[in-house]
Amino acid sequence: MTHMTPPTSAGSSGVSVYSVLSALLSYPDAGLLAALPELRAALDAPRRGQLAPLLSLLDGADDLIALQEQYVATFDRRPAHSLHLFEHIHGESRDRGQAMVDLREEYLRHGLVPDTTELPDYVPLFLEFLGQIAPADAAALLGDAIHVLARIGDKLAESGSPYAAVFDVLRTLTDTVPQPLPEPPEGEMEETMVTFGPGADGTEPALRARGQAAQPVRFYETDPRRTQAAPQAVQGERHG
C-alpha cells in the first residue's frame, strides 16, 4: 500500500486527498482493505460520493485474489488503461525515457526519492508525490498531467470500471480543462537508456526524503499537441 504523510489538500483527517487517491489506485492488498476506514475519513462528503463505486468495490471484496485479478485485467492487460503517464504521450519511443528522467529529477528537486520498483511516471507514485509537496507546486504539475489523467479516466469509464472515479476526482482538483491527445507514437525505447531509482525492495510506491536539489521537470518533453497548434498547449517546464 502507498505510504502516506499528512500534507496538502487535506480532508477532515489531515491526510492529503492525493495520498488517498494514490492508495485507492494502487494494487489491492490486505493493507489497503484494512486502511479503507482511514481513507474514507480523509475525504469530504462530495469526494466520498464521487468515489463511492470504487469504495464499494473494495469494501465488498470477499475474495482478495479475485480483486487483484480484476485490477491486473483492468490496468496491465489494457494498454489504454495503463497507469504509466508517458505511455499515453510518447508510447515506447525514446522521448518517454527522457520524460521519465525529467520527472524523477522533479521528485529529487523536492527532496524526495522514489523508493520503489515502479517507473517515475506510475500514476499512484505521481499522486503520492503531489500529496507531499507545496499546494502551488502540486496544482501546477497536476495541471500539466490532467490531459493524460483525463484520457485514462475516460477509457476506464467507457469500460465501466469503478476506478474511473479516481480520475473524476482529479479533474475537480485543477482549473485546467483537459485537452484531447493524439495517439502516442509507435516505436521502441532503448532498454539501456536510463536506470531509475535506488535499489528497490519490491514494496508499493513510497517516497523517501533527500536533501540534494535537482533540475525541474519538463512534463511534456515533446508534447504532440504543440505540433497541432492546440489552443491551450501545456507549458511543460516548471521552475521552483
Side-chain angles (χ1 to χ4, degrees), residues 15-57:
V15 176
S16 166
V17 65
Y18 293 119
S19 295
V20 174
L21 298 178
S22 172
L24 293 176
L25 205 55
S26 297
Y27 182 76
D29 59 14
L32 172 59
L33 300 185
L36 284 175
E38 177 188 356
L39 298 176
R40 283 181 180 275
L43 299 166
D44 58 24
R47 286 171 183 156
R48 280 197 299 272
Q50 282 185 290
L51 291 165
L54 180 54
L55 292 170
S56 296
L57 172 69

Side-chain angles (χ1 to χ4, degrees), residues 156-179:
L156 288 166
E158 288 172 9
S159 68
S161 172
Y163 283 97
V166 170
F167 299 88
D168 290 341
V169 173
L170 287 170
R171 286 175 183 259
T172 70
L173 299 177
T174 177
D175 293 330
T176 302
V177 178
Q179 298 298 312

Side-chain angles (χ1 to χ4, degrees), residues 8 57 70 92 103 110 120:
T8 65
L57 172 69
Q70 179 179 352
E92 293 300 322
L103 183 55
H110 285 85

